[in-house]
Amino acid sequence: MKKYYSIAIDGPSGAGKSTIARRCASAFDFLYVDTGAIYRAVGLASLRAGVDRKSASEVSGILPGLAIDLRYNDSGEQRMFLNGEDISDAIRLPEVSICASDVSALPVVRSYLLEMQRQIARTHHVIMDGRDIGTVVLPNADLKIFLTASAEARAQRRLKELREKGIDTDFQSVLQDILYRDEQDSTRETAPLRRAEDAVLVDTTELNFEESFSAVSQLILERFFTVDTVEKETI
Ligand code: DC
């Protein structure tokens, strides 16, 4: 059976995981899988259905009616579809971020999405980013990275991103959003956000994008592309 390589990048919201992972995927020819987008799809569906997002029975009631589909366009960009509708932009709205965090705390949602994520990694070389990729989804990933930054630095970056998309908001509300999600994502009982013991910590508080990208690329190069690694793997 062909061996597919996997890189797990976990960390809190706004640490730069998706931008860095996407760029590394294209540089090293891996498939980028943004697992947060999958939770966002469920968050958006629960918002639209008007169900109580903290109620396992209400949210599990809508799951069978959801056809969540990850597709890639010609430039390798991940697009999310929900029952045939392209929801890639809708899931980025701040209110959907909170809904995604709420529904992601429910074990029924996590187990529903687990197999979908593993199946992609069984059939592609992947860089997968999320909260529990190195701890739960791909515990045997070939490389695990825990990417983090201070809450303030993350809020500043997220604010810039939202403003560039024309979403009108301010620093305090973005920071509150981040703190709410940090707390909820790391204290939930099922698959909380935490660094896997064998994950390499990369703190980007003091790094700009290029420096962060370079730090992560270096880890990938060392793990997969040095002569030493190639020799070890062919022995
Ligand atoms: O990475 P993101 O901000 O797009 O993720 C949205 C929410 O989904 C986040 O608050 C926590 C949840 N999530 C998760 O619980 N596990 C993952 N692997 C990815 C995201």
Side-chain angles (χ1 to χ4, degrees), residues 13 17 34-37 39-40 92 97 100-101 104 110 117 130-133 181 185 188:
S13 327
K17 299 186 300 289
D34 170 4
T35 65
Y39 286 93
R40 284 169 181 270
R92 297 296 152 197
S97 307
S101 178
S104 73
R110 303 205 73 83
Q117 298 168 78
R131 303 295 187 288
D132 60 337
I133 309 304
R181 293 209 283 147
D185 297 345
R188 68 181 176 222

Side-chain angles (χ1 to χ4, degrees), residues 63-83:
L63 292 178
L66 306 184
I68 297 174
D69 200 8
L70 260 163
R71 298 183 202 163
Y72 291 87
N73 63 20
D74 291 343
S75 38
E77 183 196 354
Q78 177 183 307
R79 305 294 295 177
M80 274 312 297
F81 285 78
L82 178 62
N83 299 331

